[in-house]
């Protein structure tokens, strides 16, 4: 979603060798909060802070921010005057949707650039031009992997309405992201949306874990893949009747990023809202581009799920913005990426900071993965047994009781703290529940044997099933 500027903010000053003179930018009242904050820094004369804020928006294809970076470069605001970068930002802004605003100013400038300035302009275009942003999944992202058939349900277990909520006709729906293994079993549930609350999320998770799927296939072989699935409940009212949805719809239409994310996510999964899929996707992308961290994480997750088909569009840019905005799952995934392979000391330090931030979230998926890393990482600088045990107890006190992986990470936390009795008890529950679900329990059994012999277990817990 681009932000329309209400009047041209650059004018040619022919008396100064083609340099463009720019008064303070003014924007439409509907500009998102991040843009307004950047503009406020600019107007206050805090040019370095304004430059950093506009640059963050420009990275997501916001052509108005790119336009203002051009103005700042040409004025020498936040750094020395730079005609080459200014021309590059103007070209990027024009290509990303602000062509009318740029108008003929670019042509007036580019003819006067030195070879060195022309190279600076080309560098900006190479990083922020429309072709690059599209290849990275920033502009018009492609979420479908056409040569990889996605998982599909073969046998679905119905979710029971929680006992305390039976007989109460009200809107109820849960959206869950699942990893469907090559064995056709659902693993690692992540709750993206739960209405009216956590009890419904718990029954949705239990139902999906007990369902069977045809796995995704690539090159003729079954492979693990991510799947988003909705759960509806018997005798529930239409989602459109929910007060939060009724209030969010006009706010989304007015451009509010949080409301746009909520309505877009719900509409992608529930056609009863009467919002076409293309419009729902537009709402989600607009919310992400306007700075909503949950929407940014959603876009990143879609790109990561289909990265095999477009490696450059790996979601990293969206994920970084989501993490900076406070999305705990994005913080977790960035930490996992940093710790992959043979991380440097600096990468481990960054990962620990991100894990500390993510650990504050009351989110089942995040908490489970943070406990797994703090309890069983082979890297001493990552492990934190006391913190792992504190989080594990919170995890075990939650409403989701059907996931074997939850018991597995709780067991690992007890073992990391030397409590092998409780570790063995929790691990036995993990083994028993995994067997009922038809999972391969070989690694779980190895972990159980280690705890029974008073040995902690190190490795990637949640990659073992």
């Amino acid at each position: 979603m681009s932000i329309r500027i209400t009047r041209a903010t650059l004018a040619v000053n022919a008396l100064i060798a083609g340099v463009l003179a720019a008064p303070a930018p003014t924007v439409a009242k509907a500009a998102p909060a991040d843009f307004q904050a950047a503009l406020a820094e600019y107007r206050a004369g805090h040019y370095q802070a304004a430059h950093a804020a506009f640059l963050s928006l420009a990275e997501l294809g916001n052509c108005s921010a790119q336009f203002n970076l051009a103005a700042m470069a040409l004025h020498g605001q936040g750094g020395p005057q730079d005609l080459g970068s200014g021309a590059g930002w103007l070209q990027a802004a024009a290509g990303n949707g602000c062509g009318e605003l740029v108008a003929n100013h670019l042509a007036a400038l580019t003819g006067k650039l030195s070879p060195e300035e022309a190279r600076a302009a080309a560098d900006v275009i190479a990083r922020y031009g429309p072709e690059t942003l599209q290849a990275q999944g920033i502009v018009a992202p492609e979420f479908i992997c056409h040569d990889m058939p996605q998982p599909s349900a073969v046998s679905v277990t119905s979710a029971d309405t929680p006992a305390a909520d039976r007989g109460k006709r009200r809107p109820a729906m849960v959206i869950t992201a699942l990893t469907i293994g090559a064995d056709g079993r659902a693993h690692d549930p992540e709750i993206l949306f739960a209405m009216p609350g956590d009890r419904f999320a718990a029954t949705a998770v239990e139902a999906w874990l007990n369902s069977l799927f045809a796995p995704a296939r690539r090159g003729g072989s079954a492979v693990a893949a991510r799947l988003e699935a909705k759960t509806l409940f018997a005798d529930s009212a239409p989602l459109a009747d929910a007060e939060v949805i009724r209030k969010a719809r006009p706010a989304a239409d007015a451009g509010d990023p949080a409301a746009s994310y909520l309505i877009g996510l719900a509409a992608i999964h529930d056609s009863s809202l009467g919002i076409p899929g293309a419009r729902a996707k537009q709402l989600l992308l607009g919310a992400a581009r306007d700075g909503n961290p949950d929407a940014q994480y959603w876009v990143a997750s879609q790109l990561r799920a289909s990265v095999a088909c477009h490696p450059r569009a790996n979601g990293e840019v969206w994920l970084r913005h989501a993490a900076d905005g406070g999305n705990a799952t994005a913080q977790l995934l960035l930490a996992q990426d940093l710790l992959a392979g043979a991380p440097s000391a600096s990468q481990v330090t960054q990962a620990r900071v991100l894990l500390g931030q993510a650990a504050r979230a009351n989110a089942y998926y995040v908490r489970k993965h943070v406990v797994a890393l703090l309890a069983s990482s082979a890297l001493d600088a990552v492990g934190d047994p006391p913190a792992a045990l504190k989080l594990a107890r919170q995890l075990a006190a939650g409403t989701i009781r059907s996931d074997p992986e939850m018991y597995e990470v709780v067991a690992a936390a007890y073992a990391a703290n030397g409590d092998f009795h409780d570790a063995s008890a929790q691990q036995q529950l993990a083994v028993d529940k995994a067997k009922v679900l038809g999972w391969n329990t070989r690694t779980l059994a190895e972990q159980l044997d280690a705890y029974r012999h008073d040995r902690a277990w190190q490795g990637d817990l949640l990659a073992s099933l």
Side-chain angles (χ1 to χ4, degrees), residues 53-424:
F54 282 133
L55 185 61
S56 179
L57 290 164
E59 191 176 37
L60 299 181
N62 186 307
C63 66
S64 298
Q66 294 171 342
F67 186 85
N68 289 340
L69 287 170
M72 295 183 72
L74 296 169
H75 272 308
Q77 296 168 327
Q81 187 182 70
D82 187 343
L83 302 189
S85 293
W89 282 119
L90 281 178
Q91 190 173 342
N96 287 314
C98 286
E100 291 184 9
L101 189 61
V102 173
N104 62 349
H105 301 322
L106 182 61
L109 179 62
T110 52
K112 296 179 171 61
L113 298 180
S114 69
E116 182 178 357
E117 290 167 341
R119 285 192 294 272
D123 287 344
V124 172
I125 290 298
R127 291 189 63 187
Y128 301 101
E131 292 82 7
T132 298
L133 295 185
Q134 184 164 1
Q136 292 177 337
I138 304 299
V139 175
E142 177 60 68
F143 298 148
I144 298 174
C145 207
H146 293 285
D147 63 346
M148 180 176 164
Q150 294 303 295
S152 58
V154 173
S155 175
V156 176
T157 300
S158 298
D160 293 329
T161 300
D165 298 279
R166 290 171 191 162
K168 302 175 183 177
R169 181 173 169 75
R170 55 181 174 172
M173 186 175 82
V174 176
I175 301 172
T176 311
L178 305 159
T179 296
I180 307 302
D183 60 357
R185 304 291 180 178
H187 304 268
D188 212 10
E190 176 189 4
I191 304 301
L192 302 180
F193 175 92
M195 180 182 293
D198 289 347
R199 291 194 301 271
F200 286 81
T203 61
V205 166
E206 183 173 6
W208 287 124
L209 292 179
N210 282 279
S211 299
L212 185 64
F213 299 82
R217 304 193 73 83
R218 187 169 180 81
S221 300
V223 294
R226 189 177 190 269
L227 175 70
E228 285 185 14
K230 72 173 180 181
T231 303
L232 298 176
F233 297 84
D235 300 324
S236 62
L239 188 64
D241 292 348
E243 182 178 7
V244 66
I245 297 294
R246 287 190 282 104
K247 287 183 176 180
R249 290 190 75 153
D253 291 338
D256 179 81
S260 295
Y261 168 69
L262 173 62
I263 296 300
L265 182 64
I268 282 281
H269 292 276
D270 189 350
S271 60
S272 72
L273 292 183
I275 298 174
R279 172 58 178 160
K281 182 180 176 182
Q282 183 183 48
L283 286 168
L284 288 164
L285 288 172
R289 195 157 286 122
D290 288 347
N292 181 270
D294 295 332
Q296 290 168 342
Y297 164 69
W298 184 87
V299 174
S301 69
Q302 304 303 305
L303 292 171
R304 285 169 72 98
S306 55
V307 71
C309 294
H310 36 73
R312 285 190 67 189
N314 60 10
E316 188 274 334
V317 173
W318 288 113
L319 199 67
R320 179 159 38 81
H321 280 263
D324 290 344
N327 181 277
T329 317
Q331 293 164 345
L332 166 68
L333 295 183
L334 280 182
Q336 291 174 329
D337 289 347
L338 287 165
L339 296 174
S344 66
S346 174
Q347 288 174 317
V348 171
T349 299
Q350 293 176 59
R352 282 294 282 123
V353 171
L354 287 164
L355 289 174
Q357 294 170 343
R360 295 194 286 267
N362 181 22
Y364 174 82
Y365 176 89
V366 173
R367 188 169 283 167
K368 184 176 72 173
H369 281 265
V370 171
V371 172
L373 284 167
L374 298 183
S376 65
S377 174
L379 298 169
D380 290 340
V382 175
D384 187 342
L389 186 57
K390 179 179 178 180
L391 290 171
R393 286 172 171 154
Q394 294 171 355
L395 188 67
T399 57
I400 295 177
R401 317 292 299 169
S402 55
D403 182 6
E405 293 173 330
M406 186 270 284
Y407 298 94
E408 180 190 12
V409 301
V410 171
Y414 278 117
N417 285 274
D419 184 350
F420 295 104
H421 177 270
D422 283 343
S424 297

Side-chain angles (χ1 to χ4, degrees), residues 5 7-10 21-27 39 42-44 47 68 71 75 77:
I5 297 187
R7 61 186 178 88
T9 57
L10 296 184
T26 59
V27 300
L39 200 63
Y42 178 88
R43 288 171 172 161
Y47 294 135
N68 289 340
H75 272 308
Q77 296 168 327

